[in-house]
Amino acid sequence: MIEQPGTSTRDLQAQLDDLSAINAAITRLSATLLDFDLFLKELLASIVGYVRCDRAILLLTNEEGMALEFSASNYHLPSPDRQRELEAQALPLHSAAQDNLIVAWQAGRGMMAQADLVSSASITGRLAQVMQATGFYSAPLLLDTMLLGVALADNNVSGMPLTPLHQEKLEAIARHAAPLLHSAQAHRHIVRQLADTVKEMSILNQIDRELNDTIELNSVFQMTLDWALRFTNASAASLALYNQDDDELRYMAEYGYDVSREQLAMLRREYGPGMALRVARSGHAEIVPDVSLDKDFVPISTSTRSQLSVPVMREDRVVAVITVESRRLNGFTESHLAFVEALATRAGVAIDNARLYDEAVREREKISHILSNTADVVMAVGADDRLILLNQSALAALQLYLNDSYVGRVIFDAIDHTPLLDVYRRAKTLGENIIEELPMPNGRIFHANFKYNASVGWIIVMHDITPFKEMDKLKGELIATVSHDLKQPLSVMNGYIELMLMQQSVAQQGMHSVQMIRRSITNMRQLIDDLLDLAKIESGIQLQLEPVQINTVVHDCVDSLRPAAQNKSMTITIETDDHLPCVTGDYARLRQVLMNLIGNAVKYTPPEGSVKVRAEQRGALLRVSVQDNGLGISPEDQIHVFDRFYRVRRPETDSIEGTGLGLAIVKSLVEAHKGQIGVESRLGEGSTFYITLPLAETPITP
């Protein structure tokens, strides 16, 4: 070191000691940058040790840069009230132009202050009063032009005088500590941000758990507002569902207001929906720092100063709006907005799920109410053979205990005493839908439909047909009785006519009348026979099932009807394959079917016409068709030709006799063979009647 002229060795040594002391202090401060509280404690110790003062106080600029606030001190005042007053100090920087102390600090200059030389109304006087000091010296912690804080020091305890050297040392250590303070503050800010992020993620995870644990709408609303209030420190909050079609808000939950919900609704009707509807329409969140400047603000609470509204979105549409209110101006930050938006995202999913569940519950209750009041038996059985649903009618029909719960029980254990179980087993084994009539333990007869649904299982619906069965029985008895009673007088009438003819007691001019009577008696007897036959079939005819070669039946019928065709100069042709497979059926009844169809073709075809009978295999079915080139049937008549007593009324058919029961009998017989019947026809071009029957390989149950 080169000794400066006029500088003694002692002075140089003192300078070296100062530099060494500052360097040691900076080194210790640098080691505490990652712990802000420890950094402040070390800074206070360095000031006291280097400046050699009794007390040091740090005032740091707040995050908004609006004021200097008490941060730390190495000394506590004897009076707790004075200590609390000191810790509550916040010196506003916006009034800097009105106070010399603030002006000096912002300019980077330290100042000595004597309490007895300044007004108690000034910042200097107020600080001295709160610190209970007769004077203090200060130095700004300045980085470039940014005021980070101020270091204050005094000797109020020892009473030692304040010298310019003390001020110089305080300014020196403040100058070196300012960059380190800035680094410590930056690190603290990052740590706080990270901690806030972790805390927010933890909160959001908790929110997710809570919202996922409930599917009840009111609980979702309450949880959402509870978290919004807690995180934003708001004084009031509300959640309203938004109907985009009607452009209306429906408030579902509200907290923190001093008036009742009825009064809230009245205020909203008077002042309008406010900012919430504006946000719902735009789909964008809004922060209003000062509600007095918002033309849409609804003054529900006179203490509200700021407001935050966030839309709840689902699939690019607004479904709700969350609104929070604060009693402080500018009470909401961007972090509050980000949190409520994250909350709204989760609430949107929860609200949608809860709404869907609520709708499903209402729909299920509606269906349950309908099913419980329907007379039909309705049951559902899952793929695991466990009962999913039984309505009240099912309990009655199966003679189950009304107070017992059967849902969830295996069907084989619950209804093992009913014939329904056998049909269920058969439906599962065949893997196909089954429709059958079932007598139940309660003495009733049901039309049962077993149908499989992949998403549910087996759905069983049974309709009580006991009254219809009883009616059919009565009808059959009536027809049998009436027919028997009619046949007897007809036989007597026919006998007397035959006797009259044998005795030739009828004059030649009366023979025509006798013949008309005989024909009418024959027609009436045929009608009675048809009625009896139809009643027998519809009451459940017992078919004598056996393998039947359909070619044999066709040739038998054609041979029987060929004379009638020849009398009209008609031709009947047969087109069949000699190797057609058999069908399972009743030979006599199948012959009755084809005799009727071929006979009608001959009857309703004009002379010199033609009839073609064709039999062919189509997959697992055998198709027999009877085609003629006769009169044809209109579309209006085609839909009724298989109805009982229906006859086509046209001039060409008036002279053709018939009962109107033939095709009805044919249809019933075909269906008894598990087959189908149909007709294709055009007026003036003829008709084709066809039947399809399952082949013998396909099991048939009568």
Side-chain angles (χ1 to χ4, degrees), residues 15 18-30 33 39 43 46-47 50 139-143 148 151 168-184:
Q15 291 178 10
D18 284 345
L19 289 174
S20 177
I22 288 180
N23 184 60
I26 297 305
T27 301
R28 290 193 302 273
L29 285 172
S30 299
L33 287 177
F39 175 84
L43 179 55
S46 297
I47 291 172
Y50 178 66
L141 295 159
L142 198 71
L143 183 65
L148 303 178
E168 183 181 338
K169 285 188 174 185
L170 182 61
E171 290 177 356
I173 196 168
R175 188 166 52 253
H176 287 86
L180 296 176
L181 173 62
H182 184 262
S183 297

Side-chain angles (χ1 to χ4, degrees), residues 31 79 225 328 384 401 493 617:
S79 170
L225 289 191
R328 295 183 295 114
D384 58 354
Y401 294 104
M493 292 168 60
Q617 181 181 352

Side-chain angles (χ1 to χ4, degrees), residues 601-619:
V602 172
K603 186 189 300 183
Y604 288 98
T605 300
E608 300 182 356
S610 64
V611 175
K612 183 186 296 182
V613 182
R614 178 181 298 166
E616 57 185 335
Q617 181 181 352
R618 292 191 177 183

Side-chain angles (χ1 to χ4, degrees), residues 174-483:
R175 188 166 52 253
H176 287 86
L180 296 176
L181 173 62
H182 184 262
S183 297
Q185 286 178 323
H187 180 266
R188 181 185 63 168
H189 181 68
I190 292 172
V191 170
R192 282 183 175 177
Q193 277 190 327
L194 182 59
D196 289 343
T197 301
V198 171
K199 179 182 177 182
E200 184 174 335
M201 289 178 63
S202 176
I203 290 173
L204 291 175
N205 286 335
Q206 184 176 348
I207 291 171
D208 287 337
R209 289 193 300 271
E210 290 184 3
L211 289 177
N212 289 334
D213 285 343
T214 182
I215 46 179
E216 206 275 320
L217 266 177
N218 288 331
S219 297
V220 171
F221 299 149
Q222 292 168 4
M223 286 183 191
T224 302
L225 289 191
D226 180 55
W227 280 108
L229 283 166
R230 274 197 270 175
F231 192 86
T232 62
N233 295 316
S235 58
S238 63
L239 189 150
L241 296 180
Y242 178 59
N243 187 322
Q244 195 168 13
D245 296 333
D246 300 333
D247 191 33
E248 289 182 351
L249 291 172
R250 183 161 60 98
Y251 283 85
M252 306 303 298
E254 294 159 315
Y255 289 118
Y257 297 104
D258 298 329
V259 295
S260 65
R261 296 199 68 177
E262 292 74 15
Q263 290 173 307
L264 286 172
M266 183 181 67
L267 287 170
R268 290 192 178 104
R269 285 194 298 269
E270 181 179 351
Y271 291 99
M275 185 175 76
L277 184 59
R278 190 172 71 214
V279 167
R281 289 169 174 170
S282 68
H284 299 292
E286 288 189 35
I287 296 178
V288 178
D290 186 353
V291 295
S292 64
L293 303 177
D294 188 345
K295 61 180 178 61
D296 293 328
F297 174 65
V298 180
I300 293 175
S301 175
T302 56
S303 61
T304 298
R305 294 291 178 267
S306 55
Q307 195 173 33
L308 165 66
S309 285
V310 174
V312 178
M313 308 291 294
R314 285 301 289 157
E315 299 178 355
D316 298 328
R317 60 185 177 87
V318 178
V319 297
V321 177
I322 300 172
T323 300
V324 288
E325 299 179 8
S326 175
R327 295 189 179 96
R328 295 183 295 114
L329 287 172
N330 201 23
F332 301 108
T333 64
E334 291 298 324
S335 64
H336 292 147
L337 173 61
F339 177 83
V340 179
E341 285 182 329
L343 179 62
T345 300
R346 287 157 173 78
V349 176
I351 289 172
D352 226 21
N353 291 340
R355 180 180 55 79
L356 291 173
Y357 175 77
D358 195 46
E359 291 176 358
V361 168
R362 287 200 302 269
E363 194 66 26
R364 186 173 62 187
E365 289 175 349
K366 185 194 303 181
I367 293 173
S368 176
H369 183 71
I370 293 172
L371 291 178
S372 64
N373 287 279
T374 186
D376 286 348
V377 171
V378 181
M379 302 171 60
V381 186
D384 58 354
D385 295 325
R386 294 188 179 275
L387 289 166
I388 299 173
L389 180 145
L390 293 91
N391 67 345
Q392 293 292 316
S393 296
L395 296 175
L398 298 171
Q399 292 187 328
L400 300 175
Y401 294 104
L402 298 178
N403 296 327
D404 284 0
S405 176
Y406 294 92
V407 173
R409 292 174 59 177
V410 177
I411 187 173
F412 305 114
D413 298 333
I415 59 171
D416 57 348
H417 60 291
T418 70
L420 182 145
L421 196 58
D422 295 332
V423 183
Y424 174 74
R425 284 196 178 99
R426 181 151 37 94
K428 284 200 67 176
T429 302
L430 297 175
E432 60 184 25
N433 302 336
I434 289 181
I435 299 176
E436 277 195 20
E437 291 182 6
L438 290 178
M440 299 305 289
N442 62 354
R444 313 292 290 180
I445 300 174
F446 286 83
H447 180 273
N449 187 344
F450 291 71
K451 188 172 184 180
Y452 183 73
N453 182 285
S455 61
V456 178
W458 287 94
I459 300 173
I460 304 170
V461 179
M462 301 196 302
H463 181 69
D464 189 351
I465 58 172
T466 307
F468 302 104
K469 284 293 183 180
E470 294 174 349
M471 188 181 301
D472 277 346
K473 184 179 179 181
L474 290 173
K475 180 186 70 175
E477 293 174 353
L478 175 64
I479 291 175
T481 302
V482 172
S483 300

